[in-house]
Amino acid sequence: MTPESLGLFRANLRGELIQPADAAYEAARKVYNGMIDKHPTLITRCVDVADVVYAVNFARENSLLVAIRGGGHNGGGLGTCDGGLVIDLSRMKGVHVDPAARQVRVEGGCVWGDVDHATHAFGMAVPCGFVSTTGVAGLTLGGGIGYLTRAYGLTIDNLLAADVVLADGRLVRASNEENPDLFWALRGGGGNFGVVTSFLFRLQPVKIVHAGPTFWPLAQAADVMRAYRQFILDAPEDVNGFFAFLVIPPVPMFPEHLHNKTVCGIVWCCTAPPEKAEAALKPMRTFAKPVFDHVGPMPFTTLQSLFDGLYPAGLQWYWRADFVRDLSDPAIALHVEHGSQLPTMFSTMHLYPINGAAHRVGKNDTAYSYRDASFAEVIVGVDPDPANKDKITNWCTSYFDALHPYSAGGAYVNFMMEEGQERIRAAFRDNYDRLAAIKKKYDPANFFRVNQNIRPAT
Ligand SMILES: Cc1cc2nc3c(=O)[nH]c(=O)nc-3n(C[C@H](O)[C@H](O)[C@H](O)COP(=O)(O)OP(=O)(O)OC[C@H]3O[C@@H](n4cnc5c(N)ncnc54)[C@H](O)[C@@H]3O)c2cc1C
């Protein structure tokens, strides 16, 4: 990299180019997870596809490591790097809804709140996650698990096309019709194949949902888990709810006597009509006496942003995950043992149901392979204080180690830290070799390697 080449790069950009000496650098280098402390050499905040093309070409010609940043939410901090170029898409926020076609085109720097806001006005939504501040790009490219998974599938099951800047600087479209191998790989294979500048999604009819939390005392956790495992596998697909161990936050929404109490609970989201939802949830909500039960109609956008305030950017964040086929009794006993010991108020364990519509797609139809798993488990150690880093990490890893033998073998890539090649192979299992062959075709030099990396086939 010479001053001339850098000057030319800067002159070509419409967006910003930020270097360590710039006032904006400290804020620009930070990602959502406060545990990540990386120092890129350059950060470019692209405003359009041309900026992305210039950035990719500049990095390739100057042998710079590249990290792609969508929403910056990745737990392992894969939206940044030490000593390379961060291609930050956070200024690319366009969302174009086509209500008649029931489609939405979303630029690569959007977070889900941007999309929810735009589509809610038309009574529609893209199946996304559980938090509105997560990036569309990273979440989608890993699969996309959320409140609407049982009803409408993973986010990738609603992806129609993506525009991608490849390692050689070409812009291509990936869809069932154009570059279908790339389209297959993008649906679960993460940021391995290029910079996605926009996504085209199918919209689903979702506006008001029947939703909210039901909490039970810890003493009932084993009974609740046993009831939940069967309930959620048999429930109608328009009924969803994830199981959690959590500490009730001291906020006015909850009665004071429950503040800071560790409980277990289910957070519901039903797209079924209210009477049907009430009838479907009744057996779970009444089988044991909850300490808090607050389920009713609310806009989908409200549900999506319910946890945003609790989890602002900058907290220390360490998580481990696995896919799970069955919740056996011994696994439930271990969950109760470790879930009762949440180390901080923000720490939690979630079990997301991933059956229903997501099971109707074959395990080799997209790069996301675990279509036979019923739950995505994620053990989350979180705290604002960096001094508690070891405390949350140790709790998280010992919980994970205890439960891993009961898992399906691999984890959802979006819930992984940097855990090594063996874990990456386990995440993609029988789809790994096909992904490696597609990686070789589209990125033979492994230019895009700051990710859950799929090595090009040799
Ligand atoms: C609070 C919180 C809640 C979450 N909730 C959910 C949830 O409900 N459901 C779920 O499925 N996941 C969830 N996740 C996990 C989330 O999907 C991943 O962390 C994901 O990586 C975040 O995407 P991002 O764009 O914000 O990440 P970034 O940190 O910006 O990027 C992560 C990786 O994605 C790739 N990437 C990002 N943008 C692009 C792009 N435009 N083109 C190509 N590759 C790109 C890159 O390889 C990068 O390494 C959550 C994470 C957090 C922290």
Side-chain angles (χ1 to χ4, degrees), residues 32 68-75 78-79 89 108 129-131 134-135 137-139 141 144-145 191 194-196 317 319 412 414-415 450-451:
Y32 180 81
I68 313 167
R69 190 182 305 169
H73 251 224
N74 188 268
L78 296 172
L89 277 74
F130 299 91
V131 177
T134 311
L139 180 139
L141 295 170
I145 294 169
V195 185
V196 178
W317 197 280
W319 60 11
Y412 174 42
N414 276 346
F415 292 156
V450 182
N451 43 43

Side-chain angles (χ1 to χ4, degrees), residues 182-213:
L182 179 61
F183 188 51
W184 178 87
L186 290 178
R187 286 175 292 164
N192 272 282
F193 304 94
V195 185
V196 178
T197 54
S198 73
F199 298 86
L200 181 67
F201 293 107
R202 184 186 303 117
L203 285 164
Q204 301 294 353
V206 179
K207 184 147 194 175
I208 304 297
V209 290
H210 207 71

Side-chain angles (χ1 to χ4, degrees), residues 82-148:
D82 272 323
L85 169 68
V86 173
I87 301 181
D88 179 346
L89 277 74
S90 61
R91 296 274 156 88
M92 292 176 64
K93 290 265 192 212
V95 183
H96 180 83
V97 184
D98 182 344
R102 290 193 160 190
Q103 293 177 358
V104 60
R105 184 172 293 283
V106 179
E107 281 195 310
C110 288
V111 297
W112 281 105
D114 302 324
V115 182
D116 295 338
H117 163 77
T119 60
H120 192 69
F122 300 96
M124 293 188 249
V126 178
C128 45
F130 299 91
V131 177
S132 85
T133 53
T134 311
V136 170
L139 180 139
T140 301
L141 295 170
I145 294 169
Y147 284 119
L148 302 177

Side-chain angles (χ1 to χ4, degrees), residues 250-314:
V251 293
M253 178 186 166
F254 302 110
E256 237 172 78
H257 71 278
L258 293 178
H259 288 181
N260 298 308
K261 291 257 178 330
T262 302
V263 293
C264 73
I266 300 175
V267 181
W268 303 106
C269 172
C270 306
T271 48
E275 311 74 49
K276 185 185 165 196
E278 279 291 317
L281 296 186
K282 198 170 172 200
M284 256 326 292
R285 284 167 69 202
T286 53
F287 97 97
K289 196 171 160 32
V291 290
F292 185 79
D293 188 29
H294 195 85
V295 183
M298 67 173 80
F300 182 63
T301 43
T302 304
L303 179 67
Q304 272 290 104
S305 48
L306 221 51
F307 300 112
D308 293 359
L310 187 62
Y311 291 109

